[in-house]
Amino acid sequence: MDAVIEKHAEPASPSALARRTRIGAEIRRRLVAHLAAGGTTDMAASTLQFGGSVYTDPARFAAEKRELFGNTPLVAGLSGDIPNPGDVILFDLAGPPILITRDKDRQLHAFLNVCPHRGARLVTECTAQRRLVCPFHAWTFDLDGALMAIPGREGFEGLDPATRGLTRVPVAEWNGLVFVQATPGEASIDVEGFLGNFAPELAQLELGAGQPVKSGVLEARANWKYVLDTFGESYHFARLHNQTLAPYFISNVAAFDRFDRGYRVAFPDVGLRALVGKPEAEWPPTEFAAVHFLFPNTILFIGSVVPGKWYIQVFRLFPGDSVGTTRTHFAVYAPRDGADDAYRAEVAQAYDATAHVVMTEDYRVAAEAWDALSRSPGARVVFGRNEIALHGVQQSIAQAIDMPLA
């Protein structure tokens, strides 16, 4: 069974939950059909082959850092990471140190986290701030970046404070997602224009309802794109995850939808086998669960820790200091309303279990593969038709940096 490669989303319905439930039911129906057909999966029209240098070339790596991580909107977090006036987010992984604030009117601002006096790092911890006070000489700034006070003002006679505010960085908040663009400037971010027909699919997730539970940084000794590929297919579950994920999820079966440069993919749990041949009226209620890719580097997973208890996983992958290193910021979220301590503890346990599998299995194999590719000039890789999500990701990255896959 072949997937439709391009899917145009309909406008968001008045009820995000109703829309999400309906789409979740459609996805489940497709997955059960694959299982009924003997374990088929959505597929691309053909395989995709290209040189291993796509993952190892320093020139390509430099272009990705410049175009994708300097000039493209990036997810800096969820609204739940900065819910109240005075809250801040520190965002350093894209290159320049960036500070995001929420002011008393609940508006977001973003700046280079650099004092315009002598370049000191202005904020070093994500604690609530009434004012931003430089730890070096106590220059003081409002949450909107304006310079409010200079100790020893007489030493700076003739300096116009209005010209020494913090350097602005584009920022936007949309449906629970916080975006920044790492190149300083006054430009705005057109989130819906950036997301295209993926926007309604993300809006229905109600990410603004998420409250952070646990986060950390996962390191990989592999190129960021190779690491990113591991999130988009279940073909490897039976072998690589034979003791961890394979007992719970069916390998090499997926329902895939592409939306401009993003995608949504769902993998069936083993419980769906019981629905094969059973009238749909007898199926249990649908619980939406799917992986979403936001170009260029973010994976969102919406699912349940146990039936009836939803949570969010967010993976944001960033290139390290060299072409063969990756830093992944991984965070999990529980509902802001209705999640007691026991519920949050289950979500924290899900973080620990996921991080363990990612580090000891996915990132271990990615590091071994990248090392082999980096020492094998002329090596080539091939994406199978069943690895459909990976095709579009690598093609979109290549197009964005104007360096074709070859």
Side-chain angles (χ1 to χ4, degrees):
M1 185 180 297
D2 290 352
V4 176
I5 302 300
E6 296 288 349
K7 185 179 181 73
H8 295 280
E10 61 185 319
S13 71
S15 170
L17 176 60
R19 187 179 192 275
R20 196 166 62 243
T21 300
R22 175 174 56 79
I23 291 176
E26 292 173 358
I27 291 171
R28 182 172 65 172
R29 197 174 297 120
R30 290 163 59 190
L31 291 173
V32 172
H34 277 313
L35 297 177
T40 58
T41 189
D42 287 354
M43 292 194 187
S46 62
T47 61
L48 177 65
Q49 300 186 45
F50 53 87
S53 61
V54 164
Y55 300 111
T56 63
D57 178 19
R60 196 176 196 101
F61 178 69
E64 291 161 359
K65 293 185 75 171
R66 181 181 64 251
E67 297 300 328
L68 301 180
F69 295 91
N71 297 324
T72 302
L74 302 170
V75 174
L78 302 190
S79 296
D81 293 312
I82 187 169
N84 302 311
D87 287 345
V88 301
I89 291 175
L90 300 178
F91 181 74
D92 288 4
L93 292 173
I98 294 173
L99 168 66
I100 305 171
T101 66
R102 190 180 294 281
D103 68 19
K104 59 181 174 39
D105 297 320
R106 308 194 71 83
Q107 298 301 305
L108 291 187
H109 306 271
F111 322 95
L112 293 184
N113 191 12
V114 176
C115 180
H117 172 213
R118 300 257 303 271
R121 189 179 180 91
L122 192 62
V123 177
T124 58
E125 296 181 359
C126 288
T127 55
Q129 314 276 330
R130 296 184 62 187
R131 294 284 189 272
L132 307 174
V133 182
C134 180
F136 197 1
H137 298 94
W139 281 35
T140 301
F141 304 84
D142 203 350
L143 295 173
D144 65 3
L147 178 57
M148 305 297 292
I150 302 175
R153 184 71 177 84
E154 63 278 5
F156 295 88
E157 185 178 351
L159 179 70
D160 181 1
T163 67
R164 303 303 293 178
L166 300 179
T167 301
R168 292 191 174 276
V169 172
V171 64
E173 185 174 25
W174 179 87
N175 280 288
L177 286 163
V178 177
F179 292 87
V180 295
Q181 196 162 310
T183 299
E186 298 285 343
S188 61
I189 298 176
D190 177 6
V191 175
E192 293 197 358
F194 172 67
L195 295 175
N197 64 1
F198 204 15
E201 308 308 315
L202 298 175
Q204 74 171 358
L205 301 180
E206 299 183 289
L207 298 171
Q211 184 179 54
V213 173
K214 191 170 184 177
S215 65
V217 175
L218 311 180
E219 307 271 359
R221 297 189 61 82
N223 180 259
W224 73 277
K225 300 188 305 300
Y226 197 99
V227 174
L228 181 62
D229 289 340
T230 66
F231 290 91
E233 48 86 7
S234 65
Y235 181 41
H236 67 284
F237 283 11
R239 175 60 174 170
L240 182 60
H241 301 310
N242 64 319
Q243 298 297 315
T244 52
L245 296 184
Y248 308 100
F249 293 92
I250 299 168
S251 186
N252 202 30
V253 175
F256 170 82
D257 295 301
R258 181 172 178 177
F259 303 93
D260 289 334
R261 295 186 294 182
Y263 69 70
R264 178 178 62 216
V265 65
F267 308 125
D269 64 71
V270 295
L272 288 192
R273 288 195 176 109
L275 304 185
V276 174
K278 181 179 289 189
E280 191 169 344
E282 299 177 13
W283 293 4
T286 301
E287 290 201 9
F288 184 91
V291 174
H292 301 71
F293 168 67
L294 281 70
F295 184 86
N297 72 322
T298 298
I299 296 290
L300 294 169
F301 170 72
I302 311 297
S304 302
V305 282
V306 295
K309 293 184 176 181
W310 70 266
Y311 79 125
I312 305 165
Q313 293 184 341
V314 182
F315 298 86
R316 294 177 292 135
L317 284 71
F318 297 90
D321 295 331
S322 66
V323 65
T325 58
T326 301
R327 303 190 76 199
T328 302
H329 187 281
F330 174 37
V332 293
Y333 301 78
R336 181 179 59 250
D337 301 321
D340 58 17
D341 289 345
Y343 191 153
R344 290 174 60 84
E346 288 179 290
V347 173
Q349 290 170 3
Y351 173 98
D352 294 338
T354 302
H356 176 74
V357 171
V358 168
M359 289 298 297
T360 62
E361 297 179 358
D362 295 285
Y363 284 14
R364 173 182 57 81
V365 168
E368 293 167 353
W370 188 85
D371 178 66
L373 287 173
S374 69
R375 294 188 290 116
S376 304
R380 296 184 64 78
V381 299
V382 56
F383 290 165
R385 294 178 61 221
N386 55 324
E387 297 171 303
I388 183 172
L390 281 55
H391 293 228
V393 172
Q394 295 303 333
Q395 290 166 335
S396 294
I397 291 172
Q399 183 178 28
I401 63 172
D402 196 23
M403 296 180 72
L405 297 173

